[in-house]
Amino acid sequence: MTSFPAFRLLTIFAILFLFFIGGCASGQEQTPPPDSVPEWAQEAIWYQIFVERFRDGDASNNPTLQTVEGSWPHNKPDSWQPTRWTQDWYEMEDWALESGKDFYRTVQMRRYGGDLQGVLDKLDYLHDLGITAIYFNPLNDSPSLHKYDARSYHHIDVNFGPDPEGDMALMAAEDPADPSTWVWTSADRLFLQVVEEAKKRGIRVIMDYSWNHTGITFWAWQHILEHQEASPFADWYQIDSFESDSTSFSFPGWAGVPELPQFRRYDSVEAFAHGDLIPGNFHPELVKHIYAVTERWLAPDGDVSRGVDGFRLDVAELIPVDFWREYRQFVRGINPEAYLVGELWWAEWPEKLMDPTEWLQGDIFDAAMNYRWYRPARQWLGGGAPPLQTPSEFVHHLDSVSAGLRPEVLRAQMNLTASHDTPRFSTSIFNQANLNKYRVNPREDAGYMLHRPDERTWRDVRLMLIHQFTWLGAPHIWMGDELGMWGADDPDNRKPLIWPDLEFDDEVAHPFGLEKPRDRVQADMELHAWYRQLIHLRRDNRVFALGELDYVVADDHRNVLAYTRTLGDDYALVILNNSSQPADIELMLPSAIAARGLIDALGTNAISWNIRSDNRLQLLILPKSGAVLMAGE
């Protein structure tokens, strides 16, 4: 009998023990490691919903002067009322004219009455489109149209539910600092119904929260205003001075906005560059409150199956990293499959986008909103400033965007063409001379084009969409882009959705009273069909979500890029001709793929091809066109 040293026996026992507790010996499902990225997020097709402008499903719950009190701009006219959904966007209401303020001031006072019933009514639309994940802009109770100025974190906005007055009464009876007193309002319950119905359709849901600041109507801030430094919540916020005989109440709102008081950072640093990991944390009682809110939506009444699937986290780089690391552990302790995506945007405004690599190493976020993908894609395929002239330049930028990130992180990056914070996708491509976010409105650029984009724009949009839905990362759609909406930067990107069953006024007015073309406002169902085709192509073929990517052609002379996606026996070839001329290219196919043949997955007649006996593929692709060829069965 062979003898074993004691340390070897201990090692064997340790391995067997880990094998057992991991569930392998018993066949139990293993808990994902804490640095893992949820696989569902790597296969997600995102649709972003800004509820106030999505769909008015219940006219009885529309906002009132009472429910919007405390939102900027203040002092709304007594005659104020919600705006008609189908009105010409730039036409000013009677109450707006009465105010004496200009369009870009009064438009921020508007409410259209979008609500969760409208979302519930349109879940079948999203399911048919092929959407697998919804990212909701903030739903928390708030007086503003955007909801980043929370009045309460733990309740859904009263105007998003069926009984605003009843919900306000329920909330008034709570102690908001004590989660044991929290109740479920009608708006809360309707949101849980939306989550339930979405999951029945295979659609995940994440919520948007800003743990950086609240609004001035937030219950803790209101207590501070009344009790000043005697308030137990005074240490939650960054306050320069309290009211006394010699000083006035003073605080720095986020980004200089007084309606957005910012939380105080402890053990932090005074100065930092955007993109730095800031040490420190929040006040312990504030952290407890944030955790209670988080758990409420991840596991309503302790049931994870009824909860949301994660969070989009606002202005993430401004929040102390110690908080984020602990927050991830807390979230994953409730739901190991929860997805955390950070808004990590600017390093140096307006030229340099932030490198999110340090935030995406498995201890903070799973992914970021990937504005860094859109910029070079717009520069090459959309002619955006400053333009990229060749596919080689484009690939270099894409490689830079991908550097330092694990494959599963790249697959889960939220690749967006537009959002509530940028011009509409079409308008961004229409106005090629501007950087995507810089001076992209008629207030800062008198020549910025506000009208319906031209045919060149829609051609480039279609080409870019082929790339978006076949490249690495999870495609994201800003609601309404699939219906051909247009609009400049905030607020013009937040028009009410142009549903096909509604008849809209033509856009005739100009915000500054200038001449503009008359534009018919209606859903572009041909573009919608193109989106639907690409969404289903990606959803139904996992090679585009999980497959390896290899560039096989970067022809700078012809301005053509081709890449392959491979996953096991699945194979796809994507060709993008960004030239104004037809392009003929030639490349070698793997023998197994050549034997199976190729299928035109998009069926656009933009491409013809021939596979020679030596497995060489010869193809001709039309100008400014893209194609996807897939291996046959």
Side-chain angles (χ1 to χ4, degrees), residues 214-445:
T214 66
I216 55 175
T217 58
F218 192 74
W219 56 271
W221 187 254
Q222 287 291 305
H223 196 274
I224 293 169
L225 293 180
E226 182 177 356
H227 299 282
Q228 296 289 302
E229 57 191 320
S231 170
F233 313 113
D235 291 335
W236 287 19
Y237 288 89
Q238 188 176 340
I239 298 173
D240 293 336
S241 62
F242 292 94
E243 211 169 84
S244 69
D245 292 340
S246 58
T247 62
S248 60
F249 189 67
S250 174
F251 63 95
W254 175 73
V257 178
E259 285 81 9
L260 300 175
Q262 185 166 271
F263 292 133
R264 181 179 174 184
R265 284 86 170 126
Y266 288 84
D267 302 319
S268 190
V269 292
E270 290 295 326
F272 60 91
H274 281 286
D276 286 352
L277 298 181
I278 312 168
N281 212 320
F282 292 138
H283 190 280
E285 292 300 314
L286 171 58
V287 172
K288 285 171 59 177
H289 182 72
I290 292 172
Y291 281 9
V293 174
T294 298
E295 185 170 13
R296 177 177 175 85
W297 299 118
L298 280 176
D301 295 326
D303 187 351
V304 175
S305 71
R306 297 174 58 216
V308 298
D309 299 286
F311 299 95
R312 180 268 190 188
L313 298 158
D314 189 52
V315 292
E317 84 279 4
L318 298 182
I319 293 174
V321 72
D322 296 338
F323 168 81
W324 280 138
R325 289 190 173 114
E326 294 171 7
Y327 186 74
R328 180 184 183 84
Q329 293 176 10
F330 179 79
V331 167
R332 286 298 182 88
I334 297 170
N335 182 356
E337 285 291 309
Y339 171 73
L340 298 177
V341 56
E343 183 199 28
L344 302 166
W345 201 345
W346 297 106
E348 297 174 10
W349 168 264
E351 298 286 345
K352 188 176 180 181
L353 295 169
M354 188 187 306
D355 181 351
T357 303
E358 285 190 282
W359 301 83
L360 303 178
Q361 296 303 306
D363 59 338
I364 304 176
F365 303 131
D366 297 302
M369 298 182 73
N370 201 7
Y371 293 102
R372 295 175 79 223
W373 163 78
Y374 179 64
R375 176 172 280 189
R378 177 178 181 265
Q379 289 172 298
W380 184 54
L381 292 167
L388 297 177
Q389 302 294 343
T390 67
S392 294
E393 289 181 278
F394 180 46
V395 169
H396 174 75
H397 280 74
L398 292 180
D399 286 345
S400 176
V401 166
S402 305
L405 299 178
R406 294 173 292 152
E408 59 267 36
V409 173
L410 283 172
R411 293 192 290 265
Q413 289 280 76
M414 189 182 274
N415 289 352
L416 67 169
T417 53
S419 76
H420 64 293
D421 280 331
T422 73
R424 283 274 176 190
F425 181 21
S426 62
T427 299
S428 171
I429 302 302
F430 191 25
N431 290 271
Q432 293 174 303
N434 300 74
L435 286 175
N436 183 42
K437 179 65 179 172
Y438 183 58
R439 297 172 63 87
V440 284
N441 60 73
R443 291 159 290 171
E444 297 176 282
D445 178 357

Side-chain angles (χ1 to χ4, degrees), residues 66-135:
Q66 179 188 8
T67 57
V68 303
E69 180 63 33
S71 64
W72 184 89
H74 306 286
N75 302 318
K76 298 169 183 64
D78 291 340
S79 58
W80 178 94
Q81 59 184 348
T83 300
R84 181 168 54 90
W85 195 275
T86 56
Q87 176 181 299
D88 178 352
W89 174 252
Y90 292 113
E91 179 188 344
M92 294 179 69
E93 306 87 342
D94 289 342
W95 61 259
L97 294 170
E98 177 188 321
S99 74
K101 298 179 173 62
D102 65 20
F103 170 81
Y104 280 109
R105 177 62 67 95
T106 60
V107 73
Q108 298 289 358
M109 299 182 185
R110 282 184 183 174
R111 302 293 185 275
Y112 285 86
D115 50 39
L116 287 172
Q117 185 60 52
V119 176
L120 198 60
D121 293 344
K122 287 299 181 179
L123 284 178
D124 285 338
Y125 165 83
L126 296 178
H127 180 254
D128 178 73
L129 187 59
I131 299 303
T132 66
I134 296 172
Y135 147 34

